[in-house]
Structure formats: structure tokens, C-alpha cells
Amino acid sequence: MDLEGTIIRGYSGFYYVWDGATLWECKLRGRYKISENTFLPGDKVRFKILDAPSAKAVIEFAYPRKNELIRPSICNVDQALIVMAIKDPEADLWLVDRLLINLLFNNIEPIICFSKADLVSLDSSREIYNEYRDSGFPRYIISTVDHRGVDQLRQLLKGKISVLSGPSGVGKSSIINIIEPALQRKTGEISLRSSRGKHTTRSVELLPLSTGGYVADTPGFSQMHLPDIKKERLAGYYKEFDSYAPFCKFSSCLHRDEPQCAVRDAVDSGMISSKRYRNYLLLLKEIIEKKRRY
């Protein structure tokens, strides 16, 4: 008898597949063992039952993926929640922008979540929230202490494969715990020496939600390589530039040091976030230098 399900994790040559009711321990069919196929959490597969009482099975077929991320290693993602603490540790908006570009490049919908809102004033929450006012991305203020934004987040995750990404210590596991208390993910404290969180998640695993869908708690990280994009394409990832770029003197304007740049004028007048623009320039410089090396 063949069934279908989703790989939620892999371990020591076995793949654990959830079909909505049972977690099956699956081996690979021989043709997959000798091929270069790599199975990831999120893969949709068809499997054959070997022993029903012990939930043993073998994977017969893997369906094509709609997308794939390298870091974290996961596929078929519907949306990604970029979790960034407002405080402890301080928000790294440069990393937020890098994550946004990577997600958009891989056709994954990004959602920005600023966590630990209970540690700062309402004005401070609004200030960081407004940095992405015209970015076009959904934004949420979250607190697992006073439950701010939790119900909205729970609805967002319903019925979808979602990834929580961001550096260590921003509260990804705490968010999962409050959304799905039965999971009780391990949480870690902030290192006083480095002001960075201790890693509490070591590998990617999809966690089934009682409301339907899956959420992945991923290992924290503080660096991410940019995808291979042309310098002329970078501005397209900054939607707040769109209203001003057509008025630049040059159609090929990079909005860096060209004369009569409407985007720079908008930054100077406060219509575009100066922090977002600064991140854009840093990323543009990185792309240009990378091309020169090759």
C-alpha cells in the first residue's frame, strides 16, 4: 500500500515522514541510494509500508520541489519569518536585508517579525517597525511575554510550511513554544560576553502544527552569502525605491553617486529610510567587489 507524506527530518540514513496521522521511519529505495538525490525536510514523497505496527516504510518516489534553500537546508517553503529581536541582542537590520534578498531570490514570501517587544518602549517598537514602512513586506511586533502579536502569527502559520530564520537568541524557539505549547522547544540564554544567543537548534526539522501546516525552527546564524545577482538588479529588491527611480536622470542609475538621482533625493528628504539605503549601498559594494574578483 502506497501513501504520501512530507519529510520532516532526516537522521543517520533514515527519513521521518509525516502523513497527517502517523510518523513513518523510511528507508530509501535502492535507486535513490545510488543516485545523487538529496532528500530534505519539506520534500513531498510517496512511500510503501513495510511494517505497519512499527511504522516502517520505504520511499518510492519524490515529487518535484517548488523551491529550495541551502541555509537552512529545506525545500517547498511557503513563507519565511525573519525573526529579529528589538533588544538582547540588538536588531541587525543589515542581516534582515540580506535575508530578504535571499528569500525573494528563491521565490519565498518573507515576513518580518520583531521580537522581544516587551523589553522596549512602544516608541522604540514603532521606530524599528517603521524602518520597513514602505518595503512592501508584512511586519509584526512580537512578544512571548505579553503575547503581543501571537494570535496573528498563529493564523499566518496555519496550513503552510513556514521557516523561522534569524540569528541565535532572538526567540525563535520561544515563539514556537507559545504558538504550539506541546512542542516545548529548548530555549537558550544570551551570552553576556558576545551579546549573542546560544544555539539551541542544531538541525532543521519540520514540526507539525495542530492547526495544520509545519514550522521549521532553524539553527541560528549571523552571516549569509548573497545570491548571484547583478548589481543592476539589486535596487529591485528595495520596493521603496520604485516610486522614485523613474525620475532619475539615467535609466541605469545605481542610486549611488550618479548625478540627479531621485532615490538619493528621497533619502535626503526622509521619504526613504536612511538605514535601508545605507544597507543597500553596502550590499551593492559587496556585489561589485565580488564580480571584480571573478
Side-chain angles (χ1 to χ4, degrees), residues 15-283:
Y15 295 90
Y16 296 86
V17 178
W18 177 251
D19 66 359
T22 303
L23 183 63
W24 298 88
E25 183 183 83
C26 296
K27 299 186 295 185
L28 296 180
R29 181 64 73 185
R31 65 176 178 274
Y32 285 125
K33 290 182 179 179
I34 61 175
S35 72
E36 295 182 355
N37 289 66
T38 300
F39 290 82
L40 298 174
D43 268 321
K44 310 293 184 182
V45 298
R46 188 173 68 237
F47 59 94
K48 183 176 182 179
I49 297 174
L50 297 179
D51 184 61
S54 61
K56 305 288 186 182
V58 60
I59 293 175
E60 295 277 331
F61 178 79
Y63 292 95
R65 297 167 180 164
K66 68 177 184 180
N67 55 43
E68 177 183 342
L69 288 175
I70 296 175
R71 185 176 185 181
S73 297
I74 192 171
C75 63
N76 295 324
V77 177
D78 294 311
Q79 58 188 13
L81 279 61
I82 299 174
V83 182
M84 192 64 59
I86 302 176
K87 185 177 181 181
D88 292 344
E90 297 294 329
D92 184 349
L93 301 188
W94 181 74
L95 178 57
V96 172
D97 283 12
R98 295 178 76 88
L99 289 166
L100 287 169
I101 292 169
N102 271 276
L103 294 171
L104 292 172
F105 184 83
N106 287 284
N107 298 313
I108 296 172
E109 179 185 358
I111 298 167
I112 304 173
C113 295
F114 293 111
S115 63
K116 302 188 181 181
D118 53 281
L119 297 181
V120 299
S121 67
L122 184 59
D123 286 343
S124 295
S125 296
R126 286 174 176 167
E127 181 180 351
I128 193 169
Y129 182 84
N130 287 333
E131 290 293 338
Y132 290 85
R133 179 189 59 199
D134 299 316
S135 66
F137 304 114
R139 298 158 294 151
Y140 294 89
I141 299 293
I142 305 295
S143 170
T144 57
V145 174
D146 60 26
H147 292 208
R148 203 179 320 174
V150 170
D151 288 339
Q152 292 172 298
L153 204 54
R154 190 176 286 117
Q155 284 299 118
L156 274 176
L157 300 178
K158 188 175 180 179
K160 297 183 178 181
I161 292 182
S162 306
V163 171
L164 271 67
S165 60
S168 300
V170 297
K172 299 189 299 294
S173 294
S174 296
I175 289 172
I176 291 177
N177 286 346
I178 201 167
I179 289 172
E180 194 74 38
L183 293 174
Q184 286 304 301
R185 305 296 286 175
K186 184 180 179 182
T187 60
E189 70 275 14
I190 299 295
S191 167
L192 294 178
R193 176 174 297 180
S194 66
S195 295
R196 295 184 179 183
K198 295 183 178 180
H199 291 275
T200 56
T201 307
R202 299 297 181 180
S203 60
V204 180
E205 178 181 359
L206 284 179
L207 308 171
L209 299 173
S210 58
T211 54
Y214 304 86
V215 64
D217 188 11
T218 62
F221 51 90
S222 58
Q223 299 293 328
M224 172 172 275
H225 294 295
L226 285 175
D228 187 18
I229 58 177
K230 295 181 179 180
K231 62 183 180 182
E232 295 82 5
R233 298 287 302 276
L234 179 63
Y237 292 95
Y238 285 77
K239 295 301 180 186
E240 52 265 72
F241 292 5
D242 290 354
S243 298
Y244 306 97
F247 300 100
C248 291
K249 180 177 181 180
F250 302 105
S251 59
S252 59
C253 187
L254 294 178
H255 319 304
R256 183 177 51 171
D257 50 18
E258 298 86 348
Q260 298 181 38
C261 173
V263 169
R264 283 209 318 277
D265 290 344
V267 174
D268 292 341
S269 63
M271 302 304 293
I272 291 177
S273 164
S274 60
K275 291 181 180 178
R276 281 273 285 168
Y277 177 68
R278 181 187 62 200
N279 290 344
Y280 165 78
L281 291 179
L282 290 171
L283 296 172

